[in-house]
Structure formats: C-alpha cells, structure tokens
Amino acid sequence: MSAPTPRPGRLERSPVVLRDGQWWLVSGADSVLAADPVFTGVLDGFAEAMAAADQAVADLRIRQSEPPAPDTGGE
C-alpha cells in the first residue's frame, strides 16, 4: 500500500499552501516559495501523515455505518 498523497491547498492550521507540487508560505500581505529541501521534506512528511490520518478516520466512519456482522459463534 502506498502512502496517501497530500492534497493541494492549505495545510490545516498552518501558514503553508501546496500549489503545483511546491510549498508556499502565505500571509495576508504576500506569499514566499519555500525552497529549503529539508523544510519542504518535513512539510511533505507531515502532509502525508495528515492525509493518512484523514483516510483512517474516513475508513472508521464507513465501518461504523455498516450493519454489524451476524454472530457466527455456535453452541
């Protein structure tokens, strides 16, 4: 199984945005391209972890909405 791909857009609760595969630091006044490979690597890893967590929560919600499996234990 491959790691979930970060979605373009703002990284939740942060001043960074992923646009066209590049990370940008944003403020109300301007945006600056994040060019440091170590920093962008950390952002990539964090975004992948957030995408994996989002997927895990979605999977749990789907499982919780499914009817329970019949009890196959017998006597």
Side-chain angles (χ1 to χ4, degrees), residues 4-74:
T5 304
R7 292 178 299 223
R10 184 176 291 272
L11 192 58
E12 196 167 332
R13 292 183 295 222
S14 74
V16 295
V17 174
L18 181 60
R19 287 187 206 135
D20 299 322
Q22 296 182 311
W23 289 105
W24 292 82
L25 303 173
V26 295
S27 71
D30 204 1
S31 298
V32 177
L33 177 63
D36 182 286
V38 173
F39 180 61
T40 57
V42 169
L43 289 174
D44 287 337
F46 185 71
E48 288 172 4
M50 290 291 293
D54 289 344
Q55 185 61 53
V57 169
D59 292 346
L60 284 172
R61 287 184 176 152
I62 289 169
R63 268 194 274 159
Q64 287 177 341
S65 67
E66 294 174 352
D71 185 9
T72 57

